[in-house]
Amino acid sequence: MSFKLFFLTTLLLFYTLFFLSESVDFKYPAVFNFGDSNSDTGNLVTGTAAVLNPPNGEKYFHKPSGRFCDGRLIVDFLMDAMELPFLNAYLDSIGAPSFRKGCNFAAAGSSIVPNPLSVSPFPLGIQVAQFLRFKERSLDLLAKGKKLSTYVPHKEYFRQGLYMFDIGQNDLALGFRSKSEDQVIASIPSILLEFETGIKNLYNQGARKFWIHNTGPVGCLPQSITFFGKDPSKLDDLGCVISLNNAAKLFNLQLHALCSKMQGQLSDASVTYTDMFRIKLNLISNYSRYGFEQPKMACCGYGGPPLNFNNEIRCGRTGSSNGTSVTAKGCDDSTEYIIWDGIHYTEAANRHISSQILTGKYSDPPFADKMPFLKRLRS
């Protein structure tokens, strides 16, 4: 990514957010996040002993950080936006992490509805149950004295805090491995019913501010193209799997309607829906405009062009190819790539996506004076 383009993009973002931020008069004291690998900061790795090797994490943390990325995730940039520390994973207790400003329950591979094909034993219902346990234990500890207040959220933070969600991608991706397109589409209402149940359980526990991301163009991921795109007629003009992206669009349409319904039903609640599909598809469609050189090829993988993805030899892992031991290595410059490992986005892509989220124009309702804004994205 050229320095000139990076500078101009950053300058434009600064001025956009500076003027928008003038109308914002509050910040969230804490954030509670639920989701899958798009926002997992360590739960799958700590909860299942899953192995995440270098070069994961090399860009920012300089070592694997529990994130399926070369650096920071969208959730990390959004925490910066709210001038809050990165969220610690609920299951990562080593080092006495502080949860005073929130907690992350997202786990890679998670789906809304439990799925036997998932690598994660933490579907949304389990994540919500973990939160309820977290809240109960936090309040118990606070009742014992102020000494522990630096480690857990204050009681009022559970009502004043922001509840973020980025989940649903795996319900679709895994669904296509065992069901037809029609069957996956027919399952969407039941998936969203489970999602609604999770939201209402949190609401009944005092949650009032919900920020819900829809699912991205899963058909554009190298993993999806490898599994379902062998027949060129199944691909669109961008080379993405038509059926998966159609299912994502229908899922998002119904999710948007559900968010609108909940906004009307849940008194004194704020429900914000953000169109991640539009943001991510626009990035993939117009990658060169934003300074990227590779829209769909994985930076870290094995196999070479056009996708550089082998599901049996994923990023940082060693496996056998034609009788030879090979390792999936990272590219020279991940800022040129949108896709990190064939399934997840690079830090550079996450930074761009975050900047688009923070314009407010992809959300319903638009951020206006209801959401926090960032004056700058940390380098």
Side-chain angles (χ1 to χ4, degrees):
M1 185 183 297
S2 70
F3 175 78
K4 182 178 180 181
L5 182 59
F6 175 80
F7 175 78
L8 291 175
T9 302
T10 303
L11 188 64
L12 177 61
L13 174 64
F14 174 85
Y15 281 111
T16 300
L17 296 179
F18 177 80
F19 287 112
L20 284 172
S21 67
E22 295 301 301
S23 65
V24 178
D25 57 4
F26 71 94
K27 298 176 183 177
Y28 295 110
V31 173
F32 306 100
N33 185 71
F34 306 82
D36 51 32
S37 56
N38 288 313
S39 60
D40 180 7
T41 56
N43 280 310
L44 185 72
V45 170
T46 54
T48 67
V51 177
L52 197 59
N53 295 323
N56 287 288
E58 65 177 6
K59 193 69 179 177
Y60 182 82
F61 302 98
H62 309 298
K63 62 181 180 179
S65 66
R67 295 160 172 81
F68 289 77
C69 182
D70 59 323
R72 288 165 290 184
L73 305 175
I74 294 168
V75 67
D76 295 318
F77 287 112
L78 296 181
M79 293 304 291
D80 275 346
M82 290 174 272
E83 298 182 349
L84 293 172
F86 292 164
L87 289 174
N88 288 313
Y90 170 69
L91 296 174
D92 192 358
S93 59
I94 301 300
S98 174
F99 296 106
R100 185 167 180 263
K101 296 293 185 178
C103 186
N104 194 359
F105 301 90
S110 295
S111 50
I112 296 172
V113 174
N115 191 310
L117 297 178
S118 174
V119 299
S120 169
F122 309 113
L124 181 61
I126 296 297
Q127 293 181 30
V128 171
Q130 289 174 334
F131 167 81
L132 298 180
R133 171 67 173 166
F134 172 80
K135 179 183 177 183
E136 178 185 13
R137 289 289 294 130
S138 295
L139 297 180
D140 285 345
L141 291 172
L142 288 172
K144 294 179 179 180
K146 294 182 178 180
K147 183 189 300 185
L148 297 172
S149 64
T150 58
Y151 296 98
V152 296
H154 294 175
K155 180 179 180 180
E156 61 271 20
Y157 287 6
F158 289 104
R159 187 176 182 88
Q160 298 170 355
L162 178 65
Y163 292 74
M164 294 174 56
F165 301 82
D166 192 327
I167 193 167
Q169 175 176 311
N170 291 314
D171 292 271
L172 302 180
L174 294 175
F176 271 87
R177 296 192 193 181
S178 59
K179 301 175 183 177
S180 68
E181 179 179 357
D182 288 343
Q183 288 174 324
V184 171
I185 291 171
S187 72
I188 292 175
S190 61
I191 294 170
L192 291 179
L193 181 61
E194 182 77 7
F195 183 79
E196 182 180 10
T197 297
I199 295 288
K200 289 185 174 179
N201 284 342
L202 292 169
Y203 176 83
N204 291 335
Q205 285 291 318
R208 289 297 181 268
K209 299 175 177 66
F210 303 96
W211 190 356
I212 299 167
H213 295 176
N214 73 10
T215 197
V218 62
C220 295
L221 298 175
Q223 184 187 61
S224 298
I225 299 169
T226 298
F227 285 169
F228 306 108
K230 293 181 175 63
D231 180 352
S233 68
K234 304 295 185 182
L235 304 177
D236 62 17
D237 292 340
L238 293 175
C240 303
V241 181
I242 297 171
S243 57
L244 267 74
N245 279 355
N246 282 344
K249 291 175 185 177
L250 290 170
F251 176 90
N252 292 338
L253 187 66
Q254 294 180 50
L255 176 62
H256 195 178
L258 173 60
C259 289
S260 298
K261 184 185 82 168
M262 290 191 296
Q263 180 63 75
Q265 287 182 344
L266 305 180
S267 61
D268 70 344
S270 170
V271 181
T272 299
Y273 168 91
T274 298
D275 195 348
M276 302 296 286
F277 188 99
R278 277 181 61 201
I279 296 173
K280 291 180 176 179
L281 189 63
N282 178 57
L283 173 59
I284 293 169
S285 303
N286 303 288
Y287 64 94
S288 59
R289 180 189 303 172
Y290 301 114
F292 293 91
E293 296 183 13
Q294 297 291 343
K296 294 194 302 298
M297 187 164 77
C299 167
C300 184
Y302 177 77
L307 298 176
N308 192 36
F309 178 77
N310 184 317
N311 197 54
E312 303 303 318
I313 312 173
R314 296 193 190 177
C315 179
R317 298 181 185 178
T318 298
S320 178
S321 177
N322 298 320
T324 302
S325 179
V326 296
T327 299
K329 299 179 180 180
C331 59
D332 292 334
D333 185 0
S334 63
T335 66
E336 297 177 353
Y337 290 70
I338 291 174
I339 305 298
W340 169 239
D341 58 2
I343 306 170
H344 310 99
Y345 289 69
T346 61
E347 178 182 275
N350 288 333
R351 172 190 288 276
H352 170 83
I353 293 164
S354 301
S355 73
Q356 297 304 297
I357 292 171
L358 291 166
T359 65
K361 66 182 182 180
Y362 294 96
S363 291
D364 181 22
F367 286 170
D369 59 352
K370 292 187 177 180
M371 298 295 288
F373 282 89
L374 172 70
K375 292 186 178 179
R376 61 184 176 86
L377 283 176
R378 297 180 190 176
S379 60

